């Protein structure tokens, strides 16, 4: 490897219960340590996340609740994992936005500090995007074979975006052909989630908070016993749908209708 190392580099990837690095839990962690002399050591941990694995997540990585039910938790393995990462820099694909925040949260729950700010990061996705730009100008050149004249002008950018979409539909025959199918393909919906991020989720016949310390708490219980928490959501930086549901509940006592597909 042509990257000079003055301390080991751990390249790692995780599989998790979802896509929110602050709320979801690690199910599988694979870490490949490259020592300064080029020696490589691989370690993989299969972990019980201590919360249910959503079906849509299992559909991606194939790991079910049954598979991990007898596995150790992250807390059980935290010291072992920390020892493997000790004194190392880190690398991954999109690790700065996802993998590093995920592992930071897990270590924090276990009472340990991952100290990511003291490590040097080599995010392979950032290299990819720096060397192969993914902006609109690059897309016009790649898909339409022309320069993007008038870049950063709203009208020119709008027209160029439509041209790129048309070219993509021509180039990739397998793309969905309706906007509904395209929307679902790009950002699959979970019918049990009230909002796209799954901050409020249908569980055991009730709408429940699906994040933070109140995770799993029914909205109805919060309305009856902890209205200040609902007010905090309404005044916080949450999805519009989440805030609207909590505001309606506070003002009228009415919960959102049950999802068409139930757990």
């Amino acid at each position: 490897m042509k990257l000079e190392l003055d301390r080991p580099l751990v390249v790692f990837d995780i599989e998790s219960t979802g896509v929110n690095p602050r709320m979801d839990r690690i199910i599988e962690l694979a870490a490949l340590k490259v020592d300064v002399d080029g020696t490589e050591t691989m370690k993989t941990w299969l972990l019980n996340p201590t919360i249910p694995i959503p079906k849509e997540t299992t559909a991606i990585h194939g790991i079910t609740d049954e598979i991990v039910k007898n596995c150790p938790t992250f807390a059980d393995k935290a010291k072992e994992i920390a020892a493997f990462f000790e004194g190392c820099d880190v690398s991954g694909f999109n690790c700065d936005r996802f993998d590093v925040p995920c592992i930071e949260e897990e270590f924090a729950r276990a009472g340990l500090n991952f100290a990511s700010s003291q490590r040097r990061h080599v995010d392979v996705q950032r290299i990819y995007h720096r060397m192969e730009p993914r902006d609109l100008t690059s897309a016009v050149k790649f898909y339409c074979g022309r320069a993007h004249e008038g870049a950063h002008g709203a009208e020119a950018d709008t027209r160029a975006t439509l041209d790129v979409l048309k070219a993509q539909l021509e180039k990739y025959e397998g793309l969905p052909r309706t906007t509904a199918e395209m929307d679902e393909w790009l950002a699959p919906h979970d019918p049990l989630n009230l909002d796209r991020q799954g901050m409020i989720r249908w569980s055991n016949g009730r709408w429940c908070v699906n994040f933070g310390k109140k995770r799993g708490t029914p909205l109805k219980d919060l309305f009856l016993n902890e209205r200040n928490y609902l007010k905090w959501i309404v005044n916080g930086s949450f999805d519009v749908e989440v805030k609207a549901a909590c505001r309606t509940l506070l003002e009228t006592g009415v919960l959102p209708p049950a999802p068409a597909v139930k757990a």
Side-chain angles (χ1 to χ4, degrees):
M1 186 170 69
K2 293 186 178 180
L3 183 65
E4 294 183 9
L5 304 178
D6 58 0
R7 58 190 184 196
L9 178 71
V10 174
V11 183
F12 75 105
D13 183 72
I14 67 170
E15 301 298 340
S16 66
T17 58
V19 297
N20 189 317
R22 298 302 179 191
M23 296 190 312
D24 285 297
R25 304 296 178 88
I26 295 175
I27 303 171
E28 185 177 33
L29 167 63
L32 177 59
K33 183 188 294 186
V34 184
D35 215 327
V36 292
D37 63 358
T39 303
E40 297 181 1
T41 306
M42 173 69 87
K43 289 281 291 184
T44 302
W45 294 268
L46 190 62
L47 305 165
N48 185 332
T50 71
I51 61 174
I53 304 172
K55 294 179 181 178
E56 65 273 17
T57 306
T58 293
I60 295 171
H61 50 53
I63 304 173
T64 65
D65 292 326
E66 183 67 22
I67 290 173
V68 298
K69 69 178 183 179
N70 295 319
C71 291
T73 66
F74 188 95
D76 293 333
K77 291 292 184 178
K79 290 184 179 179
E80 179 183 322
I81 295 169
F84 190 80
F85 278 82
E86 186 175 1
C88 299
D89 296 325
V90 293
S91 179
F93 192 89
N94 195 32
C95 61
D96 285 345
R97 291 185 179 181
F98 188 70
D99 302 81
V100 168
C102 275
I103 203 169
E104 282 181 320
E105 290 291 329
E106 290 284 21
F107 273 120
R109 293 186 192 103
L112 299 174
N113 182 10
F114 185 63
S116 65
S117 63
Q118 298 174 26
R119 306 174 190 269
R120 288 165 296 197
H121 298 203
V122 181
D123 191 325
V124 175
Q125 187 187 66
R126 288 180 183 270
I127 297 173
Y128 178 34
H129 289 175
R130 287 279 184 97
M131 302 308 293
E132 304 290 343
R134 290 295 184 267
D135 56 14
L136 181 56
T137 297
S138 301
V140 171
K141 182 178 180 181
F142 181 82
Y143 288 106
C144 304
R146 60 176 170 82
H148 178 25
E149 303 294 343
H152 304 299
E155 183 174 332
D157 283 357
T158 299
R159 292 186 180 279
T161 299
L162 179 57
D163 287 345
V164 169
L165 175 57
K166 290 177 178 179
Q168 288 173 327
L169 290 166
E170 287 290 334
K171 183 177 179 66
Y172 307 119
E173 292 184 2
L175 284 179
R177 295 292 147 168
T178 68
T179 51
E181 291 170 335
M182 183 70 81
D183 177 52
E184 183 66 20
W185 183 71
L186 291 171
H189 295 69
D190 183 343
L192 299 180
N193 288 343
L194 181 68
D195 58 289
R196 286 221 171 189
Q197 298 299 318
M199 306 293 278
I200 295 178
R201 182 172 174 83
W202 186 261
S203 177
N204 297 320
R206 297 180 291 182
W207 287 114
C208 298
V209 170
N210 194 36
F211 65 92
K213 293 181 179 179
K214 300 295 183 182
R215 187 171 192 152
T217 304
L219 289 183
K220 183 177 181 180
D221 290 358
L222 293 173
F223 175 69
L224 294 174
N225 305 311
E226 298 184 70
R227 296 193 183 189
N228 283 337
Y229 189 82
L230 294 175
K231 292 177 182 178
W232 172 72
I233 293 177
V234 169
N235 295 317
S237 56
F238 293 93
D239 185 271
V240 172
E241 288 179 291
V242 173
K243 295 171 71 170
C246 292
R247 184 181 296 109
T248 299
L249 179 57
L250 283 168
E251 294 175 353
T252 68
V254 176
L255 288 160
V261 178
K262 298 183 180 181

